[in-house]
Amino acid sequence: MTSQGTAGQQDGTTADKPAKTVKCVVWDLDHTVWDGILLEDGEAPLRPGLREVIVELDRRGILHSIASRNDHDAATAALRRHGLLDYFLYPQINWNAKSSSIRSIATSLNLGLDAFAFVDDDVFERGEVSFEIPELLVVDAAEAAGLADRPEFSPRFITDDSARRREMYLADQERTRVEKEFTGPQEAFLATLGMTLTIHPAQEEDLRRAEELTVRTHQLNTTGYTYSYDELDAFRRSDTHELLVARLEDRHGPYGTIGLVLLAKDRDAWTVKLLLMSCRVMSRGVGGVIINHLRRRAREAGVRLLAEYLPNGRNRMMLITYKFTGFRQLPGEDGPTLFEADLTDVPGDPQYLTVHAPTGAEAAVRTPTGEDGER
């Protein structure tokens, strides 16, 4: 195990790298979810095995949506009759190009296009999507009943958070609806949510979700390092590292585990080896709050706070977050970019957010053992 985890495994050649898991399946409807053409056949029955596949993938935390050329009202009514309507987030049932519909879904879910699979019976439609979005996995509808058996649809762990992922996205949709109707500044809206952020040392039961976050999260990941369950467990037990998890909830319900921090701790400096946030909390200002929590703790401990950053083409927001929370870049050209935090003037937490986080003696602080045997 190295402190950089599997950062060097991005080419996918390492045998023990976790298989890339699809995060959302986008379904065509006619001759795919159901047999026949709805507008011609009326009562189009579900294709054999499709209900079971949709339910099972949902249980695994894989989301579903729709990109279908169809009449919106008729298709929605049919999905409701089949008891499947609630499984599909941000369905695009219209006459647009399906690649355009998928891009709209990706924007709404705040997921990268390489996290999607598209299922359609029509070779032309599959070709159009594959040409426009080559990073997406395209599947023939004839193979749809076997999706649950494929490695791309089989996450290593099924956590409490992943099993409730659709529920949490539905809560996000309600938050978005309320926000659009709200008139006033952003901070005033956030104050209406009654948000509570909890930061605590990772426990064994947190490790599955922690591994899932490192594998799934790219946009809001400061280094792109990925760590296995065993590596994270070793960091959790280490005297020279600290692994923190963050959870968020508000009046609409829990967001689940939305943040992960890995600190490497020397006598004179702590280094943030990994800071990642769920894309679902991008607009909540939580990343800055977590960083300021680390700054305060480092100041109390009398150590420097350093942070590594590796660009991956999608995580520039994390670079901006560091710069806006008092970090300056240190000279050096090899390896990751290294920043150091200014610890002289750390702002308090925003009034719209209640934070529960250990500080000082309450924190599960592990530092290298001194000559006197004390920590």
Side-chain angles (χ1 to χ4, degrees):
M1 180 186 68
T2 70
S3 64
Q4 293 186 356
T6 53
Q9 302 173 6
Q10 299 304 316
D11 61 358
T13 59
T14 303
D16 62 354
K17 180 181 178 181
K20 182 176 179 60
T21 304
V22 168
K23 300 179 185 179
C24 181
V25 184
V26 179
W27 298 85
D28 172 47
L29 293 177
D30 292 338
H31 293 303
T32 299
V33 169
W34 48 60
D35 276 323
I37 299 174
L38 181 65
L39 295 182
E40 295 179 3
D41 302 332
E43 297 292 332
L46 292 179
R47 296 188 66 179
L50 260 293
R51 182 189 303 279
E52 292 78 7
V53 166
I54 290 169
V55 171
E56 173 59 21
L57 296 187
D58 176 78
R59 186 188 70 84
R60 297 178 185 182
I62 297 174
L63 306 174
H64 297 283
S65 191
I66 293 169
S68 174
R69 297 179 189 270
N70 229 309
D71 178 82
H72 181 275
D73 292 344
T76 299
L79 290 167
R80 184 176 290 111
R81 285 198 303 273
H82 290 304
L84 293 177
L85 182 61
D86 290 343
Y87 283 93
F88 298 102
L89 302 175
Y90 302 103
Q92 301 297 301
I93 304 172
N94 49 50
W95 303 104
N96 299 334
K98 293 186 179 179
S99 60
S100 173
S101 292
I102 293 170
R103 291 184 187 278
S104 177
I105 295 165
T107 298
S108 296
L109 292 175
N110 202 16
L111 294 175
L113 288 165
D114 59 349
F116 284 80
F118 172 61
V119 185
D120 199 304
D121 69 295
D122 190 299
V123 64
F124 173 83
E125 299 286 10
R126 296 198 305 272
E128 187 270 335
V129 168
S130 184
F131 179 80
E132 294 292 337
I133 313 175
E135 62 268 43
L136 172 148
L137 175 65
V138 176
V139 180
D140 188 333
E143 304 171 10
L147 290 186
D149 298 325
R150 294 178 54 161
E152 304 97 320
F153 302 87
S154 303
R156 182 180 176 192
F157 297 122
I158 300 173
T159 65
D160 290 341
D161 280 355
S162 61
R164 300 178 62 188
R165 182 161 290 120
R166 173 169 56 95
E167 176 186 338
M168 290 190 284
Y169 268 95
L170 288 171
D172 283 343
Q173 286 184 247
E174 177 62 15
R175 293 182 186 102
T176 300
R177 184 193 67 79
V178 172
E179 184 172 7
K180 287 181 178 178
E181 295 177 354
F182 184 85
T183 56
Q186 174 74 0
E187 190 160 317
F189 167 72
L190 294 176
T192 69
L193 294 177
M195 291 189 294
T196 299
L197 174 68
T198 303
I199 306 169
H200 63 87
Q203 305 301 309
E204 186 174 3
E205 58 268 24
D206 297 314
L207 295 181
R208 292 183 176 184
R209 172 59 175 158
E211 183 195 57
E212 181 185 45
L213 273 173
T214 70
V215 173
R216 290 173 62 98
T217 305
H218 307 287
Q219 289 175 292
L220 302 184
N221 185 328
T222 54
T223 56
Y225 298 158
T226 60
Y227 297 101
S228 70
Y229 180 97
D230 291 338
E231 286 177 312
L232 291 169
D233 194 33
F235 287 133
R236 182 179 69 87
R237 299 170 182 270
S238 170
D239 286 338
T240 57
H241 290 82
E242 185 172 356
L243 186 66
L244 299 170
V245 296
R247 300 182 64 85
L248 185 68
E249 62 179 306
D250 66 16
R251 65 184 179 89
H252 295 286
Y255 294 75
T257 301
I258 50 82
L260 185 69
V261 178
L262 176 63
L263 284 173
K265 306 180 79 169
D266 294 323
R267 289 186 179 279
D268 301 321
W270 296 351
T271 303
V272 182
K273 306 293 290 186
L274 174 72
L275 168 64
L276 64 82
M277 304 296 301
S278 168
C279 298
R280 295 182 298 110
V281 298
M282 181 179 280
S283 63
R284 300 298 184 247
V286 176
V289 172
I290 293 175
I291 289 175
N292 287 334
H293 167 69
L294 298 175
R295 292 169 68 196
R296 283 191 290 269
R297 284 192 50 200
R299 184 177 61 190
E300 292 169 5
V303 298
R304 301 164 66 201
L305 180 63
L306 309 177
E308 295 182 1
Y309 172 76
L310 274 175
N312 63 14
R314 296 164 61 180
N315 65 348
R316 180 170 171 77
M317 180 60 70
M318 299 307 281
L319 173 62
I320 294 171
T321 300
Y322 273 147
K323 290 185 175 180
F324 271 87
T325 50
F327 282 77
R328 63 179 180 87
Q329 185 173 339
L330 299 179
E333 297 181 357
D334 297 332
T337 303
L338 193 63
F339 290 86
E340 181 171 3
D342 179 358
L343 305 181
T344 58
D345 186 18
V346 184
D349 297 323
Q351 292 186 350
Y352 61 76
L353 186 65
T354 299
V355 180
H356 297 306
T359 58
E362 297 177 348
V365 179
R366 296 188 176 190
T367 55
T369 302
E371 294 179 355
D372 59 359
E374 297 181 356
R375 291 178 182 170

